[in-house]
């Protein structure tokens, strides 16, 4: 039976009692095997969580401490658990140069993936689901992508432009934005706008957050006022935490946040329940790691996302019965008629 590991970090301090209940008032260990679980009797999975929150990861990313913890967790998984494949999820991909640093360091013998190929494909599927629910063609929608030249954002920018969406591409680096635009082959007639700050997203019908930039937080001032706007949250930790969302909806009751890049994984019990993630559902990057193990694919999928590989992971998903999870907001189901209402301000989360 093949073995795989999912490496992650805490999203925020609220995850500490969930993952480390035994350390209520004590010092946290560098990492913990949070869960081990079976997949269809064919593979065994381990969820290994660093005792660092998303903000701590970003604060420490330049001094080598986070990379050392990730590497230590992987070496432990290889030597003590017999793990042959690791998925680098949450911010563990970002701080290892999308996994490339771990390949280059030469200390890891297991296969590696950041899992974001499937996350990108599932996000595109999610946008198509939203368009269908609101009875709009993709070509009629304006979509903003925060983190447009990032790992996932770059693929979304490329594919959605080819599908005919008008795009607002957001990122702090003008040179990288220009490079992205130069490489996009989009349908004739669509609109491409760029911005290094969030103000341009006021024109967007759908906003996709795909960034780890803690200074790029969406607020009510960034949203259009009529008739509605959807925030599709791919960022982990979230760009729009629950408390911020409640404040936002006071001023913009026409806004709804959707838990993005989540996948239904029927027949698999992870052995733990993640806060704000519906039962039977997990992150797309976790699902990709599971599928690669089931496929006995021993390749390294690090660095930039290759669109052909993204398409392959979508085929894997259909093979194993995985699909975009039903739309939810902080783990609560979004009513089917939400976008058919004159206003979505009645929604309470």
């Amino acid at each position: 039976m093949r073995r795989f590991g999912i490496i992650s970090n805490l999203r925020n301090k609220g995850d500490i009692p969930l993952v480390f209940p035994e350390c209520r008032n004590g010092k946290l260990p560098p990492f913990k095997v949070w869960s081990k679980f079976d997949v269809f009797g064919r593979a065994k999975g381990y969820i290994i969580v660093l005792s660092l929150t998303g903000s701590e990861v970003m604060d420490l990313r330049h001094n080598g401490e986070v990379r050392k913890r990730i590497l230590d967790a992987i070496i432990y998984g290889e030597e003590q658990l017999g793990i042959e494949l690791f998925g680098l999820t949450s911010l563990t991909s970002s701080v290892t140069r999308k996994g490339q640093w771990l390949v280059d360091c030469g200390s890891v013998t297991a296969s590696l993936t950041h899992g974001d190929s499937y996350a990108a494909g599932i996000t595109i599927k999610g946008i198509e689901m939203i368009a269908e629910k609101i009875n709009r063609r993709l070509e009629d929608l304006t979509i903003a992508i925060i983190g447009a030249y990032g790992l996932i954002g770059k693929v979304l920018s490329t594919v959605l432009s080819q599908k005919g969406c008008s795009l607002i591409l957001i990122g702090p680096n003008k040179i990288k934005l220009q490079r992205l635009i130069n490489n996009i082959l989009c349908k004739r007639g669509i609109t491409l706008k760029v911005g290094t700050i969030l103000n341009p997203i006021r024109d967007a019908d759908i906003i996709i957050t795909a960034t780890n930039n803690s200074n790029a937080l969406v607020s009510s001032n960034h949203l259009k006022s009529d008739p509605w706007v959807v925030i599709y949250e791919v960022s982990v930790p979230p760009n729009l935490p629950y408390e911020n969302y409640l404040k936002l909806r006071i001023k913009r009751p026409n806004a709804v946040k959707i838990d993005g890049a989540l996948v239904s994984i029927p027949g698999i019990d992870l052995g733990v329940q993640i806060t704000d993630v519906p039962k039977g559902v997990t992150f797309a990057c976790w699902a990709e790691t599971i599928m690669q193990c089931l496929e006995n694919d021993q390749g390294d999928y690090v660095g930039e996302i290759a669109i052909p590989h993204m398409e392959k992971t979508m085929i894997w998903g259909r093979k194993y019965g995985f699909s975009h999870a039903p739309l939810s907001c902080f783990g609560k189901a979004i009513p089917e008629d939400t976008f058919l209402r004159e206003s979505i301000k009645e929604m309470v989360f």
Side-chain angles (χ1 to χ4, degrees), residues 240-273:
L240 190 60
Y242 185 67
E243 295 76 12
N244 296 43
Y245 179 59
L246 293 181
K247 293 177 183 177
L248 178 146
R249 275 184 52 85
I250 292 173
K251 294 185 177 180
R252 288 288 187 271
N254 64 313
V256 60
K257 179 255 190 189
I258 289 176
D259 306 322
L262 291 183
V263 178
S264 295
I265 50 171
I268 300 175
D269 182 355
L270 298 176
V272 290
Q273 186 59 48

Side-chain angles (χ1 to χ4, degrees), residues 8 19 38 63 71 84 97 104 117 150 154 164 180 187 191 231 248 251 264 294 327 338 346:
S8 189
V19 180
D38 174 84
N63 68 7
L71 182 58
E84 305 159 87
R97 288 192 293 117
D104 294 343
S117 300
K154 185 182 298 184
L180 174 63
K187 284 188 176 181
T191 302
I231 302 160
L248 178 146
K251 294 185 177 180
S264 295
L294 291 172
L327 300 184
T338 293
E346 306 162 38

Side-chain angles (χ1 to χ4, degrees), residues 50-276:
L50 306 185
S51 58
L52 294 171
T53 64
S55 59
E56 289 170 338
V57 168
M58 298 311 291
D59 288 343
L60 296 170
R61 67 187 185 278
H62 296 305
N63 68 7
E65 169 63 19
V66 182
R67 284 181 172 179
K68 182 179 184 303
R69 286 208 199 186
I70 294 169
L71 182 58
D72 287 347
I74 288 175
I75 298 301
Y76 173 86
E78 286 184 330
E79 295 181 350
Q80 302 299 318
L81 304 175
I83 293 174
E84 305 159 87
L85 164 68
F86 288 93
L88 303 168
T89 70
S90 194
L91 294 176
T92 66
S93 167
S94 299
V95 298
T96 56
R97 288 192 293 117
K98 305 161 190 170
Q100 191 62 53
W101 178 82
L102 288 164
V103 172
D104 294 343
C105 76
S107 301
V108 178
T109 58
S111 301
L112 297 168
T113 180
H114 47 53
D116 285 327
S117 300
Y118 192 47
I122 282 292
T123 294
I124 293 165
K125 180 63 178 175
I127 300 305
E128 291 172 342
M129 288 172 62
I130 294 168
E132 183 178 346
K133 287 182 180 297
I134 61 179
N135 198 26
R136 296 271 296 277
R137 300 184 310 160
L138 283 176
E139 294 92 331
D140 297 330
L141 295 173
T142 297
I143 298 176
I145 302 173
I146 303 175
Y149 52 72
L151 182 59
I152 293 177
K154 185 182 298 184
V155 175
L156 300 181
S157 301
T158 300
V159 176
L160 290 175
S161 67
Q162 292 171 352
K163 289 179 176 291
C165 302
S166 292
L167 299 179
I168 303 169
L169 307 177
I170 303 295
N173 189 307
K174 290 182 180 179
I175 295 175
K176 290 183 178 180
L177 281 173
Q178 188 58 53
R179 189 180 301 144
L180 174 63
I181 291 176
N182 292 343
N183 290 330
I184 286 179
L185 297 174
C186 54
K187 284 188 176 181
R188 183 175 300 176
I190 77 163
T191 302
L192 281 181
K193 297 180 181 178
V194 299
T196 56
I197 57 176
L198 296 183
N199 290 344
I201 71 175
R202 288 195 185 100
D203 295 328
D205 302 305
I206 300 174
I207 299 165
I208 302 173
T209 68
T211 179
N212 55 30
N213 183 352
S214 59
N215 295 318
L217 299 179
V218 175
S219 71
S220 58
N221 295 331
H222 299 127
L223 307 181
K224 67 178 185 177
S225 58
D226 188 64
W228 50 262
V229 60
V230 175
I231 302 160
Y232 187 93
E233 179 86 90
V234 178
S235 300
V236 179
N239 178 283
L240 190 60
Y242 185 67
E243 295 76 12
N244 296 43
Y245 179 59
L246 293 181
K247 293 177 183 177
L248 178 146
R249 275 184 52 85
I250 292 173
K251 294 185 177 180
R252 288 288 187 271
N254 64 313
V256 60
K257 179 255 190 189
I258 289 176
D259 306 322
L262 291 183
V263 178
S264 295
I265 50 171
I268 300 175
D269 182 355
L270 298 176
V272 290
Q273 186 59 48
I274 307 163
T275 305
D276 292 337

